[in-house]
Amino acid sequence: NINMKLSSTINVLSDDKNVVQQVMPETIENQILNVFHHVFKLSDFRHNQWEALIAALHHHDCFILMPTGGGKSLCYQLPAIIDSGVTFVIAPLRSLIFDQKQRLNLLNIPCAALTGNISPEEANEIYRDLYKDIPAYKIVFITPEKISMSDQLNNVLRDLYNRQLLARFVIDECHCVSEWGHDFRRDYSQLGQLRLNYPEINLTLLTATATPRVQQDILQQLNINGNYKLFVQSFNRSNLIYECIPKENTDIALSQIANLIKINYQNQCGIIYCFSRAECDRTAQYLLAHNIHALSYHAGLNDALRQTIHMRWINNECQVICATVAFGMGIDKNNVRFVIHFSIPQSIEGYYQESGRAGRDGEIANCHLFFCYDDYIRMKRLILNDDESKSSKQTKQVRINNINCVYDYCLNNVTCRRTQLLEYFGEIFSSSECKGTMSTECDNCRQDFRTSSLDCTRISIEILKLLSDLNQTNSTLSYIIDILRGVNNKTIRDAGHHRLRAFNLCQQLTRLDVERLISRLITDGYVKQEFIEQQSSVTAYLRPGTNAIQLTSLSSQRSGSTTKIHIELTIRIEQVNNDHDEETQNPKQKLIEQINEQCFIELKKELKSI
Ligand code: ADP
Ligand code: MG
Ligand code: ZN
């Protein structure tokens, strides 16, 4: 109190700021501002940065959730400079560490990286410094496996701790701790030791993606119970334009992509996420052949080559990087103008993260997602066959569910993309914040169409009957859609399937509408896919799923059903030329009303019988 009075008196008495600073004890606020302006040379704080800095410097554990590019690093780098002692930062990838280190070097902030690839001499130099009375390094980056494996590291940590020179642990990309997250890493699960071994040392956790459930899991895994400061903000990336594009086949998609880049992204760089290393190579080759400077970047390349490519990418000497999802984490760069998914991502969270590498500078950027049923099948098949993987701790069921949700997202041609994505993070986003923004509307908001709600319960029951009628060698998705839409071709006639009850049921709906419905039935477990290997390809046959019985029993139910299953889908009503003519009702609209009416009558009947 005396101090405060004193300093305010000095403040009043003296006009000369320098005098005030000399006499006044430096407050945390002043220290932050000082370092922010003079070391980082920045002028305005981004959302939550100030609050997070204050919290960290008041010795709280901090859990900081900010979108990619939001400026999470500053929230530990700045305190690391002010605090006495050394801050240890755990990051999952060498390339990420390399990037951070370079940036800090540019700012003349003394830092080091203890990663697997440095020479023993380099490592020794770092350890020598850390054993000094006052180490020069303020920040030391380490990979998680170092913590569990290196005695040398653990010894120096213990020594610093005993000498009260251990400032803080930072866990970057902390979602890797949780098996519920989209990128679980086994090495990260050791990090719970930090709190137990060094109970007084504060933790700062950073991530761009963690649903509330994942957040809880992370805290639990890291043994953080009780007080911590949580910083969350809207996950909406307002400068990104989301779009999903149906993929006819690989060749067509490749030429679409080449055109897209030539027409829209001249001299602008982007990332193309591919399914496999081979697909990376092939895509890069194709683009190169079309005079687009593209390079393939994946774990199959040796370290030296990867570093070279990385540098060329960072220095804008390469326009397009074709990367596997597993390897894309290290290729952050501010001026990425487009992210293209050549194959569908593995989860919505993953997609948010990957597409989020576009537009980190805040300028408008595009996210194009190419999707097709075959890729979805391929991915699912891979998960089911995958017995030993880094994410085998994440159950197959979780991964299958993730991929189902991604496919539902792709097919959903009605709901605002932002609304769909953000729902995953527990955020309610009104499409009115996307629609009408002109330059950054998502594909669904950009287009003009009406919607109508379709009661699909009846159709779904018919689909399930159809699936048990058909012998399974016929029941591919495309065949089922043909029947439902009344496509009268030779195969169907020869098999006599044009006489099936379901024939014609969805005649006015588009293929995509029907696929959306079936995809929904798959996600909800009413329909399942059976994979049959034929030569080199795999075909998925649709069969009634584990929940099918709940639905089919509806129609034969006597009375007293307590849970009425109701499947509803919002369907897009495309503008027809004569739509302005009030008299002629849109045929699709008409069909939907008929079906809804029918369902309603049945519902009434059912209610009466109770
Ligand atoms: P992320 O949250 O994805 O880890 P970074 O911490 O890497 O993001 O920051 C992204 C970029 O934003 C970096 O280039 C960083 O220098 C810059 N940045 C961070 N905070 C600010 C700020 N307050 N003003 C201007 N630029 C900032
Ligand atoms: Mg970061
Ligand atoms: Zn939208």
Side-chain angles (χ1 to χ4, degrees), residues 251-440:
D251 292 332
I252 295 178
L254 279 174
S255 79
Q256 275 175 298
I257 288 174
N259 283 333
L260 198 65
I261 296 175
K262 276 192 190 152
I263 295 169
N264 297 305
Y265 305 113
Q266 272 207 4
N267 302 318
Q268 296 183 322
C269 66
I271 304 170
I272 302 179
Y273 282 108
C274 300
F275 175 73
S276 61
R277 295 173 189 183
E279 200 173 85
C280 290
D281 293 342
R282 182 170 167 197
T283 306
Q285 263 165 27
Y286 182 94
L287 295 178
L288 272 178
H290 289 76
N291 297 318
I292 296 166
H293 198 312
L295 291 173
S296 175
Y297 187 75
H298 51 68
L301 310 173
N302 66 41
D303 262 17
L305 188 54
R306 237 154 47 194
Q307 282 236 349
T308 319
I309 294 173
H310 192 238
M311 284 318 292
R312 289 169 72 181
W313 166 244
I314 294 296
N315 297 327
N316 296 322
E317 290 161 17
C318 145
Q319 192 189 356
V320 181
I321 283 272
C322 304
T324 54
V325 178
F327 213 68
M329 213 192 243
I331 49 184
D332 288 346
K333 174 167 145 85
N334 279 347
N335 60 348
V336 173
R337 290 275 70 79
F338 63 94
V339 167
I340 295 173
H341 276 76
F342 190 63
S343 296
I344 57 172
Q346 296 177 17
S347 66
I348 294 283
E349 273 188 89
Y351 181 60
Y352 178 83
Q353 184 104 312
E354 288 142 31
S355 60
R357 304 214 159 90
R360 295 185 54 162
D361 52 8
E363 303 287 319
I364 290 175
N366 288 78
C367 311
H368 312 276
L369 195 174
F370 283 83
F371 69 97
C372 65
Y373 186 68
D374 285 351
D375 285 351
Y376 162 61
I377 292 302
R378 193 155 63 133
M379 205 84 111
K380 250 183 145 162
R381 179 78 183 142
L382 197 79
I383 296 169
L384 289 170
N385 280 352
D386 185 13
D387 288 322
E388 200 50 60
S389 84
K390 67 169 169 115
S391 38
S392 59
K393 197 176 160 195
Q394 194 177 44
T395 59
K396 282 185 183 177
Q397 201 43 54
V398 171
R399 295 170 71 196
I400 290 288
N401 189 53
N402 283 343
I403 195 92
N404 284 341
C405 290
V406 168
Y407 200 56
D408 283 341
Y409 168 86
C410 295
L411 291 174
N412 187 333
N413 62 348
V414 177
T415 316
C416 171
R417 298 290 174 197
R418 296 176 200 282
T419 305
Q420 292 189 63
L421 289 174
L422 296 176
E423 193 185 314
Y424 248 77
F425 303 104
E427 204 177 316
I428 297 168
F429 182 87
S430 158
S431 62
S432 62
E433 283 183 58
C434 178
K435 201 169 177 67
T437 48
M438 298 297 282
S439 49
T440 56

Side-chain angles (χ1 to χ4, degrees), residues 99-194:
D99 236 41
Q100 297 266 6
K101 197 173 152 239
Q102 277 205 323
R103 284 194 214 174
L104 290 173
N105 284 342
L106 287 177
L107 299 171
N108 293 319
I109 297 168
C111 66
L114 280 169
T115 50
N117 61 327
I118 62 170
S119 68
E121 293 77 42
E122 285 174 287
N124 283 335
E125 187 275 321
I126 296 169
Y127 284 119
R128 252 197 315 278
D129 178 73
L130 295 177
Y131 279 111
K132 283 185 186 154
D133 285 344
I134 301 172
Y137 292 126
K138 298 305 291 178
I139 297 174
V140 176
F141 294 96
I142 45 181
T143 46
E145 69 270 16
K146 275 267 170 200
I147 294 232
S148 45
M149 306 206 326
S150 164
D151 287 341
Q152 211 176 4
L153 175 65
N154 282 300
N155 290 341
V156 85
L157 286 175
R158 178 60 53 191
D159 184 75
L160 288 165
Y161 180 72
N162 292 337
R163 295 189 288 141
Q164 297 187 352
L165 285 172
L166 195 47
R168 171 177 296 275
F169 288 113
V170 178
I171 304 181
D172 202 1
E173 313 289 350
C174 68
H175 57 273
C176 297
V177 170
S178 169
E179 61 177 297
W180 297 106
H182 68 280
D183 192 21
F184 170 69
R185 282 157 192 259
R186 178 145 295 139
D187 283 326
Y188 263 69
S189 48
Q190 307 294 324
L191 299 180
Q193 291 302 316
L194 293 176

Side-chain angles (χ1 to χ4, degrees), residues 36 42 44-46 49 67-73 103 334 360:
F36 185 65
L42 295 172
D44 300 299
F45 290 98
R46 298 235 182 106
Q49 278 182 331
T68 311
K72 289 183 284 297
S73 320
R103 284 194 214 174
N334 279 347
R360 295 185 54 162

